[in-house]
């Protein structure tokens, strides 16, 4: 397997420069959070924001801010989860095309949730999260197994094809499950697009513990991912327990992707675009790459949500559509690149 490695000049980033990029990214996230709270079908001012933060929702402007605050928080959390999940998946598989959407993990989580709603009467957000994580894990294992068959093992192209085929098949199953059920069709089909418009503080509180577990598992695996990037044999020679390291990192990525999908629906391409952009800025050291991917992922998803509210005002475009429009051309570019060596 031969993933992408940036040029040596890109890999060797000074610590001070990395810290500067991370600080700038954090400032950008804060600016986008402010924009997300203030921009929408109604423009609001500082007085409205302050009133909403103090619990007032009497006026239209204060009510709009009160709705946008949890929406903004969910966009930040979901973007961070998807960005870090994509970086971990690319590191685990040494595949520059890896992403929760491209590998079918998000659709697997969505199918599990839809099946639970349609046939088992699930209606609690906490149960959605557990079911989504299980569905994401099963799909990830299936795609990796299929992509590993044949000569050469799990090559980037084979994994991408296996993920695309699995996504198409599972999406068809989701449609088959939902269409006969008029009682759930409207809500599920809207949720399938992927968005943060229905965010509430209750749903955020329920998903945060799962995301914290996923973030922690992924960050703990950062040093192991650096070893795995050298190849399994060399990593084992350096004392790394390859199977355990790969399994722990993959589980962290699956928890992040599954929990995120449970509350936002399947949002694609964030985990594909963000890690590549991060490598250009800070190099390939996963100890820096993972947190930076989380910050930049939060920025991308929040910006996409704000953009979706602006371009068709007073209506809005779901964030899943915006990220697809951004990510699809980037995916084609990555596939067509000729310099594919190592992450």
């Amino acid at each position: 397997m031969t993933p992408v490695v940036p040029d040596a000049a890109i890999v060797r980033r000074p610590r001070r420069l990395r810290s500067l990029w991370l600080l700038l990214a954090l400032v950008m996230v804060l600016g986008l959070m402010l924009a997300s709270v203030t921009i929408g079908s109604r423009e609001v001012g500082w007085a409205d924001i302050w009133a909403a933060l103090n619990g007032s929702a009497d006026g239209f402007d204060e009510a709009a801010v009160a709705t946008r605050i949890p929406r903004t928080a969910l966009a930040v959390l979901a973007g961070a989860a998807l960005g870090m999940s994509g970086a971990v998946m690319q590191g685990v598989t040494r595949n520059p095309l890896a992403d929760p959407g491209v590998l079918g993990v998000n659709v697997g989580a969505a199918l599990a949730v839809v099946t639970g709603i349609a046939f088992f009467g699930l209606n609690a957000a906490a149960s959605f999260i557990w079911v989504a994580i299980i569905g994401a894990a099963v799909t990830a294992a299936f795609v990796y197994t299929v992509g590993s068959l044949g000569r050469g093992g799990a090559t980037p192209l084979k994994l991408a094809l296996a993920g695309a085929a699995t996504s198409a098949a599972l999406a068809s199953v989701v449609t088959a499950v939902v269409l006969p059920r008029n009682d759930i069709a409207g809500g599920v089909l809207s949720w399938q697009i992927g968005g943060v418009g229905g965010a509430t503080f209750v749903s955020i509180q329920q998903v945060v513990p799962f995301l914290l577990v996923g973030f922690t598992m992924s960050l703990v695996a950062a040093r192991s991912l650096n070893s795995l990037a050298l190849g399994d044999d060399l990593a084992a020679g350096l004392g790394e327990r390859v199977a355990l390291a790969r399994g722990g990192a993959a589980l962290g990525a699956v928890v992040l992707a599954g929990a995120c999908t449970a509350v936002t629906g399947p949002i694609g391409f964030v985990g594909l675009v963000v890690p590549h952009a991060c490598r250009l800025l800070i190099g390939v050291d996963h100890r820096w790459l993972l947190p930076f991917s989380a910050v930049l992922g939060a920025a991308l998803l929040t910006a996409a949500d704000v953009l979706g509210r602006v371009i068709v005002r007073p209506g809005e475009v779901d964030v899943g559509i915006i990220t697809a429009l951004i990510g699809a051309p980037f995916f084609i570019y990555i596939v067509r690149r000729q310099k594919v060596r190592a992450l």
Side-chain angles (χ1 to χ4, degrees), residues 13-311:
R13 294 298 191 193
R15 181 181 294 271
R16 183 176 299 178
L17 185 58
R18 289 170 170 173
S19 301
L20 177 61
W21 279 120
L22 186 58
L23 177 61
L24 290 175
L26 288 170
V27 171
M28 181 170 60
V29 170
L30 292 176
L32 287 168
M33 290 175 66
L34 179 60
S36 179
V37 172
T38 57
I39 296 176
S41 59
R42 299 181 66 90
E43 298 292 342
V44 299
W46 287 105
D48 302 314
I49 296 174
W50 180 252
L53 290 175
N54 285 315
S56 173
D58 297 332
F60 288 111
D61 293 338
E62 292 91 338
V65 173
T67 301
R68 293 174 192 167
I69 290 175
R71 176 175 187 154
T72 301
L74 182 58
V76 170
L77 287 172
L82 292 172
M84 185 177 290
S85 178
V88 173
M89 288 185 179
Q90 290 175 13
V92 167
T93 61
R94 301 202 301 276
N95 178 0
L97 304 178
D99 160 77
V102 173
L103 296 184
V105 175
N106 287 349
V107 180
L111 175 59
V113 171
V114 169
T115 302
I117 294 173
F119 299 113
F120 299 99
L122 296 184
N123 54 19
S127 59
F128 292 165
I129 297 170
W130 281 109
V131 169
I133 292 173
I134 294 172
V138 171
T139 305
F142 175 78
V143 169
Y144 190 81
T145 300
V146 172
S148 300
L149 299 176
R151 298 179 59 183
T155 65
L157 181 58
K158 286 165 63 179
L159 282 173
L161 291 175
T166 302
S167 294
L170 295 184
S172 298
V173 175
V174 170
T175 302
V177 171
V178 171
L179 284 182
R181 296 291 303 271
N182 293 329
D183 54 329
I184 65 172
V188 169
L189 291 176
S190 175
W191 171 79
Q192 272 189 280
I193 297 173
V196 294
T200 64
F201 284 118
V202 173
S203 62
I204 291 173
Q205 290 172 356
Q206 290 173 329
V207 79
V208 161
F210 294 90
L211 295 181
L212 289 177
V213 170
F215 285 133
T216 302
M217 294 180 67
S218 298
L219 291 172
V220 168
R223 190 178 296 273
S224 297
L225 289 173
N226 286 341
S227 299
L228 293 176
L230 303 174
D232 291 357
D233 293 339
L234 187 52
L238 294 173
E240 195 71 58
R241 292 196 283 181
V242 173
L244 181 61
R246 179 170 282 120
L251 182 58
V254 164
V255 169
L256 289 174
C260 178
T261 301
V263 292
T264 66
I267 298 175
F269 294 107
V270 175
L272 174 69
V273 173
V274 167
H276 285 280
C278 292
R279 290 186 190 94
L280 293 174
L281 297 175
I282 63 169
V284 296
D285 185 345
H286 286 85
R287 293 172 297 179
W288 285 88
L289 179 63
L290 297 188
F292 197 71
S293 294
V295 175
L296 213 59
L300 175 60
L301 199 63
T302 306
D305 185 41
V306 174
L307 180 62
R309 282 182 258 164
V310 169
I311 58 178

Side-chain angles (χ1 to χ4, degrees), residues 5-13 283-284 341:
V5 164
D7 296 333
I10 296 176
V11 175
R12 300 192 185 97
R13 294 298 191 193
V284 296
R341 297 193 296 273

